[in-house]
Amino acid sequence: EMCIRDSIYLYRSLAAFGGVERIFIDKANYLAEHYGYHVYIITWEQGGHSIVYPLSPKVTHVDWGILFYRQYQYGLFKRMFMQWKMEKEFFKKLSNFVQTTQADIVIGASCEFTTMAGMDLLQRKTHTILETHSMRTSIEKNNPPAGNLLMRWAFERRDKQLHQYIKRMSAFVTLTHNDAKDWSDITPQARIIPNMLHRYPTEISPDKKTQKRIITAGRLVEQKGYDLLLDAWNKVHQKHPEWILDIYGEGEDKTMLLEKRKNLVLENSVLFHPPTLDIYQKYMESDFYVMSSRFEGFGLVLAEAMSCGIPCVSFDCPHGPSDIIKDYEDGLLVEKENIKELADKICYLIENENVRIKMGHKARENVKRFLPENVMPQWKNLFESLTYSSK
């Protein structure tokens, strides 16, 4: 059996209560606890903030205190100098750390340029894996200002460098099949490893009564499409005024969404709640989940809701939902941004309790493929394939 001595994860900061941070820490904990790897998490902008989720005592966290964000308090030329100076420090620390630990694997958990450039300098010293949690169009610079030839050149040069970094990695990991397909012209050998469930409730109510509640959760930002959902709910409410839509989250669009709710006269049937640490209990108090995102990296909330025995209705947006939901088996997929169809599919599940319950049972069974014991061996196999090929 291959002996993976050390693996290093690179991530800017673990101070946010986000889905990526949760997955990232769960993954590091699992590698250390179940496979006995020496896992190091390297951050550089953690500051005095504590890590938001529990970290295994077998995982070592190191913060380098390279605060890149401080460059933005200066003018252009000093900012460029500060960026160069901090990058130089970052590259030196990374190279020395890899040399000291003799790490077998270095994983970059984002497509940030500083991370990728640092990993690129490690070629032939160790194996490098870049994993992306975002779709390609949100990583590349696709929209330079119209008529600005200099900006267009800069954007094209940046994307070309991005592609070169990706090609030179030992492995490139995406979350979904469609995301891997998007990158196929750059790296046809992308590995597809989905996110894993943090929890799988051991018991749920076998004969849950209809609650007349539908749930959704996420940041209140344009990406999540809650403006589209309110338009769809306006149609649902006209047919089923007794049903409630619960939205859990905070974000920059909250004021706009509250105003839209008021204009649609939906104050009594659409309820906004702050984020909750007990979201699983809220799933189990609901009849089904709805996702109205314009795009997703994966959409782990779908799998979480399904693990609680409720089906999901979701836009078939790029790229996660179609990898999670099996249409008309454990949930329903809707043409992206089609408000009428979203309303129709919500009404279909409201009006067909037997279908809803059957789909919920199937959903709970189908998402077992995202349990840690099914996802993490894929990472172990990837690590061992890289170290074996270099023997």
Side-chain angles (χ1 to χ4, degrees):
E1 184 173 333
M2 296 296 104
C3 178
I4 311 288
R5 292 184 299 274
D6 298 281
S7 57
I8 298 171
Y9 268 93
L10 302 173
Y11 198 75
R12 181 182 292 272
S13 170
L14 290 167
F17 283 95
V20 174
E21 287 79 10
R22 164 97 271 172
I23 294 158
F24 182 70
I25 291 171
D26 284 349
K27 193 186 303 178
N29 288 346
Y30 196 98
L31 291 171
E33 295 283 348
H34 293 264
Y35 298 143
Y37 295 172
H38 299 153
V39 181
Y40 298 90
I41 292 179
I42 304 297
T43 59
W44 46 98
E45 288 187 355
Q46 191 72 19
H49 302 286
S50 59
I51 293 180
V52 290
Y53 298 110
L55 195 64
S56 167
K58 295 183 179 180
V59 175
T60 303
H61 171 237
V62 178
D63 185 74
W64 287 337
I66 306 174
L67 308 179
F68 283 92
Y69 62 84
R70 287 189 172 174
Q71 66 181 287
Y72 295 105
Q73 64 186 298
Y74 303 110
L76 177 62
F77 292 108
K78 187 168 184 180
R79 188 164 74 233
M80 291 171 65
F81 171 74
M82 293 297 292
Q83 171 76 11
W84 172 81
K85 186 179 178 181
M86 288 186 285
E87 281 188 348
K88 189 175 179 181
E89 181 184 2
F90 178 86
F91 299 154
K92 183 178 180 180
K93 284 181 179 290
L94 179 57
S95 179
N96 289 343
F97 198 87
V98 169
Q99 187 172 355
T100 301
T101 59
Q102 292 293 296
D104 299 283
I105 306 284
V106 174
I107 305 162
S110 73
C111 291
E112 291 183 314
F113 258 68
T114 300
T115 303
M116 291 188 293
M119 293 171 69
D120 195 58
L121 294 172
L122 299 175
Q123 300 300 325
R124 293 180 295 279
K125 294 181 181 178
T126 188
H127 300 287
T128 55
I129 300 174
L130 183 65
E131 59 173 292
T132 173
H133 292 260
S134 302
M135 54 190 286
R136 180 173 177 174
T137 53
S138 65
I139 294 171
E140 293 181 335
K141 293 287 189 182
N142 292 302
N143 297 303
N148 191 324
L149 295 178
L150 180 61
M151 288 295 288
R152 177 172 292 181
W153 173 83
F155 280 19
E156 288 176 354
R157 186 171 179 270
R158 177 194 179 280
D159 285 347
K160 188 174 182 180
Q161 184 65 67
L162 166 72
H163 299 160
Q164 289 301 317
Y165 285 148
I166 290 174
K167 286 178 181 178
R168 291 198 288 262
M169 295 292 165
S170 306
F172 181 65
V173 177
T174 69
L175 298 174
T176 69
H177 290 81
N178 281 326
D179 200 30
K181 187 177 179 181
D182 279 356
W183 288 103
S184 60
D185 61 315
I186 305 302
T187 174
Q189 302 300 321
R191 297 289 284 261
I192 303 155
I193 306 179
N195 284 333
M196 64 180 184
L197 279 168
H198 170 63
R199 265 179 70 190
Y200 187 86
T202 53
E203 291 184 13
I204 62 170
S205 176
D207 297 306
K208 187 177 69 172
K209 294 180 180 179
T210 298
Q211 310 292 315
K212 295 188 177 180
R213 303 192 82 96
I214 300 169
I215 187 172
T216 187
R219 291 173 296 117
L220 306 182
V221 295
E222 184 184 16
Q223 176 204 341
K224 300 299 182 181
Y226 290 128
D227 55 326
L228 306 176
L229 179 55
L230 287 177
D231 285 331
W233 189 258
N234 190 36
K235 299 177 185 295
V236 173
H237 180 66
Q238 291 170 23
K239 295 180 71 175
H240 302 284
E242 72 280 13
W243 279 69
I244 300 293
L245 172 64
D246 291 302
I247 300 176
Y248 288 86
E250 294 286 351
E252 62 197 44
D253 283 356
K254 185 171 185 177
T255 301
M256 178 273 289
L257 293 170
L258 290 173
E259 184 67 22
K260 187 177 182 71
R261 179 183 69 168
K262 181 180 177 182
N263 292 338
L264 294 171
V265 197
L266 295 173
E267 291 98 327
N268 293 327
S269 68
V270 178
L271 305 180
F272 285 89
H273 309 272
T276 173
L277 293 176
D278 199 13
I279 191 66
Y280 275 74
Q281 183 61 37
K282 302 303 179 185
Y283 293 144
M284 286 187 270
E285 293 171 1
S286 308
D287 293 289
F288 59 96
Y289 188 96
V290 62
M291 177 182 275
S292 53
S293 297
R294 289 179 165 89
F295 62 90
E296 281 289 339
F298 185 68
L300 188 63
V301 286
L302 296 174
E304 289 178 352
M306 292 164 74
S307 75
C308 295
I310 64 173
C312 299
V313 180
S314 173
F315 281 144
D316 189 9
C317 66
H319 280 305
S322 62
D323 271 42
I324 300 171
I325 295 172
K326 297 183 179 180
D327 199 21
Y328 280 96
E329 181 178 321
D330 53 25
L332 299 172
L333 291 171
V334 178
E335 180 185 21
K336 64 177 183 176
E337 299 183 39
N338 187 327
I339 291 168
K340 182 182 182 303
E341 187 184 353
L342 181 61
D344 290 344
K345 293 288 179 69
I346 291 172
C347 288
Y348 174 77
L349 282 192
I350 286 176
E351 294 160 7
N352 292 274
E353 183 181 23
N354 290 339
V355 172
R356 192 172 70 235
I357 292 171
K358 186 178 179 181
M359 281 186 176
H361 288 311
K362 198 69 176 175
R364 184 163 158 79
E365 188 64 30
N366 286 351
V367 293
K368 286 181 178 178
R369 67 189 188 277
F370 300 121
L371 291 174
E373 57 265 33
N374 294 324
V375 172
M376 291 309 296
Q378 298 176 55
W379 280 102
K380 184 173 185 284
N381 291 340
L382 173 57
F383 293 167
E384 293 183 353
S385 69
L386 294 177
T387 55
Y388 183 81
S389 65
S390 65
K391 296 294 182 183

